[in-house]
Amino acid sequence: MRAPPLLLLLAACAPPPCAAAAPTPPGWEPTPDAPWCPYKVLPEGPEAGGGRLCFRSPARGFRCQAPGCALHAPAGRSLRASVLRNRSVLLQWRLAPAAARRVRAFALNCSWRGAYTRFPCERVLLGASCRDYLLPDVHDGVLYRLCLQPLPLRVGPAAAAPETPEPAECVEFTAEPAGMQDIVVAMTAVGGSICVMLVVICLLVAYITENLMRPALARPGLRRHP
């Protein structure tokens, strides 16, 4: 019987099932009463002031789904980066409710590694209600490092010592070249076409064997036993 090998070939040539995009876990999205995220892109240099106040809407319900998105989430960390195919990166973080009440802002520092040293790419000051930030126009094949540090509230008189800030959490990623992604997609499409052609050939061979060759093989037997 040729049915089992044919079924095995169909199973081997079938495309892999698409990975379902995992929904945003609880705690990663901003609260419903935070419709806007205020932020400032700080100028380069040691000075902390300056920058224009901007607002952006949070990315609610975002899902990172391959092949258009690659998720970088260190285990046990509250910071993750979703590298999109359009060379932008969505940075998301979560915070416990008790810790969120002690935070007045977030300091985001971006840098990328060169041949001999690291270069700063962006410094952003985000409001306490922010839980994500979109970093546009990252370079292909460059190792980026994004570090987020919660800034504590200023409690008590100005002369009192400020509360010690929590350590920054960092995530590293490398944006895959868009050309390489196109090559992978093209190879997948070509492989699927080859599998379809093999299935059609196998079906033709099975049809010819069952309908044309079997009657020809049965005729000599009929002559021997009239």
Side-chain angles (χ1 to χ4, degrees), residues 211-226:
N211 295 276
L212 299 181
M213 298 183 65
R214 179 167 293 183
L217 294 175
R219 289 172 185 173
L222 294 177
R223 293 175 182 176
R224 292 176 186 177
H225 302 282

Side-chain angles (χ1 to χ4, degrees), residues 43-177:
E44 298 182 0
E47 64 275 3
R52 185 178 61 178
L53 180 62
C54 303
F55 294 88
R56 62 179 302 269
S57 57
R60 300 183 187 274
F62 172 78
R63 296 186 178 187
C64 185
Q65 184 175 7
C69 176
L71 180 63
H72 299 265
R77 299 294 183 89
S78 60
L79 185 67
R80 67 180 187 178
S82 301
V83 183
L84 306 178
R85 194 175 181 182
N86 60 356
R87 294 185 178 89
S88 60
V89 179
L90 180 65
L91 190 70
Q92 295 175 295
W93 61 91
R94 57 184 175 183
L95 209 60
R101 288 191 291 267
R102 300 193 301 267
V103 172
R104 63 180 174 89
F106 296 95
L108 175 63
N109 290 283
C110 169
S111 62
W112 58 277
R113 189 176 67 182
Y116 302 100
T117 185
R118 301 194 67 89
F119 298 93
C121 52
E122 197 161 320
R123 294 193 310 137
V124 185
L125 186 65
L126 300 116
S129 62
C130 299
R131 293 296 181 270
D132 57 53
Y133 181 73
L134 185 65
L135 182 69
D137 300 330
V138 297
H139 300 285
D140 298 335
V142 176
L143 180 61
Y144 282 85
R145 181 181 178 90
L146 296 177
C147 295
L148 185 76
Q149 183 179 22
L151 302 179
L153 289 170
R154 297 189 179 96
V155 182
E163 185 180 349
T164 303
E166 297 183 9
E169 288 194 10
C170 300
V171 60
E172 293 185 344
F173 62 88
T174 302
E176 183 181 353

